[in-house]
Amino acid sequence: MAKIVIGVTGTKAAGKDEFVKILENYGFHAFSLADIVREEAEGRGLPLTTENLQDVGNELRKLHGNAILAEMTTKKISKLQEASRIVINSIRNPAEVKFFQKQFGDRFFLIGIDADPEIRRERYLKREGVKPENFEKDNRRDLGEKESYGQQVKKCLEMAQEIIYNNGTLEELRKKAKEVLSSHIGIEKPTSQKEKES
């Protein structure tokens, strides 16, 4: 079982995926709760729009409990016995955080990724097929829905042990990731040549 498990939560278009890619260069095996949702949506023949994915994720939590995505992801992780470093992306509900805390104990460290709304909006609009009016709606829904089974990213960020503000360049994000890994996780050096040279 993994010795280090980093959970990643964060606001829409803050740079969670880029952060996870950086961690992969440090030998982390990446998992995402969003993958469970995508697989379910694809199985239903639904277009992979943000709204559809939000709806499907909410439905799964409502039907099977708020921690269902975390439970299903943990089953996937358990099959990777040799991995000592795991990163889990797209945590959006406090029940998911609590499940991982219980499952992994002090091996679990939750990191939040955030950025200024205008910067996130600019990044979001660069994505294929999105409309300007979608950002406000998707962002508002992502941050905190009223239902307990909904997305509650704001609450998840409040549970994070460290928050990285990604308002700058990719190089700046790399530096912040290195600082967090060194000071909080005890990891000093990347395992990939690409990250060593950055």
Side-chain angles (χ1 to χ4, degrees):
M1 185 58 75
K3 296 178 182 178
I4 301 169
V5 182
I6 293 180
V8 180
T9 188
T11 50
K12 186 70 66 180
K16 297 183 294 295
D17 291 346
E18 290 299 331
F19 178 72
V20 169
K21 288 177 184 177
I22 293 170
L23 263 59
E24 286 182 299
N25 288 324
Y26 282 80
F28 280 82
H29 292 263
F31 293 83
S32 176
L33 274 63
D35 288 344
I36 304 290
V37 180
R38 289 190 193 97
E39 289 167 9
E40 179 69 21
E42 288 175 342
R44 300 181 187 185
L46 295 173
L48 299 182
T49 64
T50 299
E51 184 176 10
N52 282 344
L53 294 175
Q54 288 173 331
D55 287 344
V56 170
N58 286 1
E59 183 182 334
L60 289 173
R61 284 188 287 263
K62 184 177 181 180
L63 291 174
H64 305 289
N66 292 345
I68 184 60
L69 301 180
E71 292 172 16
M72 295 173 73
T73 300
T74 300
K75 288 180 180 178
K76 287 187 174 185
I77 292 172
S78 67
K79 297 177 182 177
L80 201 64
Q81 293 292 332
E82 74 279 6
S84 62
R85 298 176 181 180
I86 298 290
V87 57
I88 306 169
N89 197 7
S90 299
I91 297 173
R92 290 187 168 93
N93 188 284
E96 296 161 355
V97 177
K98 292 175 183 177
F99 179 87
F100 288 132
Q101 288 173 334
K102 184 176 180 180
Q103 184 74 24
F104 299 111
D106 59 8
R107 291 176 292 157
F108 181 74
F109 190 89
L110 183 65
I111 296 177
I113 309 294
D114 200 3
D116 292 343
E118 274 307 307
I119 292 175
R120 294 192 292 108
R121 186 177 188 276
E122 289 177 12
R123 292 172 182 165
Y124 185 81
L125 294 179
K126 292 178 181 178
R127 297 178 179 178
E128 186 177 349
V130 302
K131 299 177 182 178
E133 63 268 21
N134 290 149
F135 176 74
E136 282 72 20
K137 180 182 69 174
D138 293 343
N139 182 57
R140 185 170 56 251
R141 187 176 179 186
D142 196 52
L143 282 173
E145 297 179 300
K146 293 180 181 179
E147 298 84 1
S148 66
Y149 56 80
Q151 289 154 110
Q152 306 282 343
V153 168
K154 185 177 180 181
K155 290 182 179 179
C156 292
L157 283 169
E158 292 170 355
M159 300 170 79
Q161 290 146 283
E162 181 73 26
I163 295 180
I164 293 176
Y165 291 96
N166 180 30
N167 290 322
T169 64
L170 181 58
E171 180 57 32
E172 289 171 327
L173 179 61
R174 286 196 185 102
K175 289 179 180 178
K176 290 181 178 181
K178 288 178 182 179
E179 290 171 2
V180 169
L181 289 174
S182 175
S183 61
H184 293 289
I185 313 296
I187 296 175
E188 298 290 342
K189 297 179 180 180
T191 56
S192 78
Q193 191 62 33
K194 177 182 177 182
E195 199 67 21
K196 288 176 182 177
E197 295 170 351
S198 65

